Amino acid sequence: MDSVDHQPNQPTRLKLAAILGSLAAFAPLSIDMYLPALPLIAQQFNTTASLVQLSLTFFVAGIALGQLVIGPLSDVRGRRKPLLIGLIIYSIASLLCAFSTSIWGFILLRFIQGLSGAAGIVLSRAIVRDIYSGIELTKFFSLLALVNGIAPILAPILGGVILLFAPWNGVFIILSVIGVIMFILVFTSLPESHAEELRTEGGIKKTFITFKQLILDRSFIGYALPLASIYGLLFAYISGSSFVLQEVYGVSPQTFSLIFAANGVFISIAAQIMGRIVGRFGESKLLVMGVSIAFVASTVLLILLVLKASLVFILPPLLIAVASIGIVSTTGQSLALQNQGKVAGSAAALIGVLQYVVAGTVAPLTGIGGNPSIAMGLVMTSSSFISIVFFVLIISLGNWKLRQDPKSESV
């Protein structure tokens, strides 16, 4: 039976979505806002573009490591204290980034910024699972996607506007202010969601045991892996689309920004549709539909890119393929966390790490071969196909075996 695990004194549904959605948006805010400033940062530190881009790599590494630490810690100590500490450190690190005097100091601070910012990303998922379950969990994830989906659309625009009135340092001052605002909102409006009687007894050994149990849990890994794989499609698009659309198809930076924003809108719309129809069709069927749409649209896109079709034919399958992220992300997160109430922090951390491992692996692949169009199309198609394979091998085949032998519970 679907249920909502009500916690005392929780904020209203919309207020909760606004707070948690903003916390989950720390990654796109911290990445996309400073992208327009990369050339200015290179000039400031008198260094190369590749060395400045290393700050992005270290930030992503910090997010991955931070989730591994903060997620399990929150299962032991609760969500509120690690979240508040993370927000304080994020705000301080962001402010120090603005006053960095060397590129290596800047890179180190970006790592710390990612490490602490991971608290918002991983604990927003865990808190949702603490409060909701069943179909209500999926519906709330769709609402969260609406709020979170605004960040990738507005962040590059906001970064560009800041640079019109301030040097690049202004971007990180604004990020620091955002961290302070989120600290105040969490401190005043977000009570502890993980009751003491539900907490686990922790330690490094226990953390590794929990991760091992999650990896061997078919109901978790069978949804976490397709969810992580489909993020390969998303990051192939993020890392390759600017080259494909601007260099191959000759669109202006402004037109590219509009296309990029449109894709963000389509992801949010797809997530909202999922929230409305999940009660009728169920999460699993919608997940299958999402990865199927992603694969078909990506395959069509790849064929059109190989044939060097015009932009008017390229954009529809591109928009549909990227929009499928809204379907898969909403249903996949809900299904993966459904049975992990007691270790929701660890489970959310593992989902996040898998996603960023895929992201870090996929991003360089879109630059291989000298043809960004075909490279992007191939990676998007491959990622969606691998997502289908994981689902079929672990979930569908596992369910079939379970029907044949009800005593069988192995992955």
Side-chain angles (χ1 to χ4, degrees), residues 367-386:
I368 293 177
N371 190 324
S373 299
I374 295 177
M376 185 185 76
L378 273 173
V379 175
M380 290 176 68
T381 303
S382 300
S383 298
S384 54
F385 177 73
I386 291 171

Side-chain angles (χ1 to χ4, degrees), residues 333-350:
Q333 288 186 91
S334 178
L335 288 164
L337 294 174
Q338 203 70 253
N339 300 320
Q340 312 302 333
K342 195 172 183 180
V343 292
S346 298
L350 194 51

Side-chain angles (χ1 to χ4, degrees), residues 300-319:
V300 171
L301 175 65
L302 175 59
I303 293 171
L304 292 172
L305 290 171
V306 170
L307 295 175
K308 299 180 180 180
S310 64
L311 186 63
V312 69
F313 293 108
I314 295 295
L315 288 181
L318 177 64
L319 288 169

Side-chain angles (χ1 to χ4, degrees), residues 15 62 82 92 115 152 161 182 200 248 290 293 330 353:
K15 186 176 182 180
I92 294 172
L115 201 69
V161 170
M182 292 312 305
T200 60
V248 178
I293 290 173
T330 300
V353 169

